[in-house]
Amino acid sequence: MMQAQLHRVPARNMENDAFWTALAHLRNTVWPPSEPITMEEFGARAKTRYVEDDAELYMVRRDEEILAFGRLFAREIITPSGPLTVGALASVLTRPDLQGNGFGRLIVQGAFDRVHDGTFPVILFQTGVPGFYQKLGSREVFNRFFDSKSATPAANPWQSGPHIMIYPAAFAWPDGDIDLGGYGY
């Protein structure tokens, strides 16, 4: 296994279009798009959204190639107990031929460290691989989520992962319906 080093950088500092093209390449390798889209188009969309979200980008790189990636941004959600600002973990990717080398774990632990340094009280995310996150101290939650800002506010805003999880598992997560306050990530 190559020596892995985690890099954390604000999305707004990533002005290099080659970075966004490399990220699009990784994303298309892990999650092939259903419709053809150029790497430049995806990179431009990702850059816009990630900068608007004021996201922190976590990555493992080799030269200009991104081997693993994740992003974390603040999201205010509305719970039955009132507003709660969570860390929104999204887009955790590892190049398929490098999975199992600890790169994904490095990305996720870097994001989870933002709970330990007091940046966020809890991190909320969706996934298709809950066992991976459970090993890192997360647990699944079973609230009904909606997005009051959507054209279809009653619809489930989560995009793909069937499992909604929080970190840390011991966080006193509220019961009841939760307004995600924006798109599912």
Side-chain angles (χ1 to χ4, degrees):
M1 176 172 94
M2 70 174 261
Q3 181 65 29
Q5 182 177 359
L6 180 67
H7 301 273
R8 184 179 82 196
V9 61
R12 66 182 172 278
N13 290 357
M14 299 305 292
E15 293 297 325
N16 181 342
D17 287 338
F19 164 79
W20 296 101
T21 300
L23 177 58
H25 178 74
L26 175 63
R27 190 256 185 226
N28 290 341
T29 300
V30 176
W31 298 321
S34 57
E35 297 178 15
I37 183 172
T38 67
M39 287 188 218
E40 291 78 12
E41 289 171 322
F42 176 80
R45 277 195 236 166
K47 179 179 180 181
T48 298
R49 176 172 273 180
Y50 295 4
V51 170
E52 284 175 358
D53 286 340
D54 198 24
E56 290 183 337
L57 308 180
Y58 295 78
M59 65 196 96
V60 175
R61 298 177 75 164
R62 179 174 46 213
D63 301 321
E64 294 304 310
E65 183 181 15
I66 302 169
L67 307 178
F69 175 83
R71 69 184 169 108
L72 183 68
F73 58 98
R75 170 68 67 88
E76 184 177 81
I77 63 173
I78 306 300
T79 76
S81 304
L84 174 64
T85 300
V86 301
L89 178 63
S91 306
V92 176
L93 309 162
T94 299
R95 212 174 77 182
D97 62 319
L98 296 175
Q99 291 177 357
N101 285 309
F103 298 155
R105 175 186 216 95
L106 195 60
I107 296 291
V108 171
Q109 286 178 322
F112 286 177
D113 282 348
R114 303 305 266 164
V115 168
H116 303 293
D117 72 10
T119 302
F120 298 108
V122 64
I123 294 180
L124 175 66
F125 56 98
Q126 66 177 329
T127 183
V129 290
F132 170 78
Y133 292 95
Q134 288 166 339
K135 290 177 189 173
L136 300 176
S138 298
R139 73 175 165 96
E140 195 164 359
V141 297
F142 299 96
N143 306 75
R144 183 184 79 82
F145 287 86
F146 64 96
D147 174 12
S148 63
K149 297 178 181 180
S150 168
T152 56
N156 182 353
W158 294 106
Q159 298 171 347
S160 57
H163 304 278
I164 310 305
M165 302 189 79
I166 61 166
Y167 175 87
F171 183 80
W173 188 255
D175 292 326
D177 295 352
I178 294 180
D179 182 354
L180 197 56
Y183 67 89
Y185 47 87

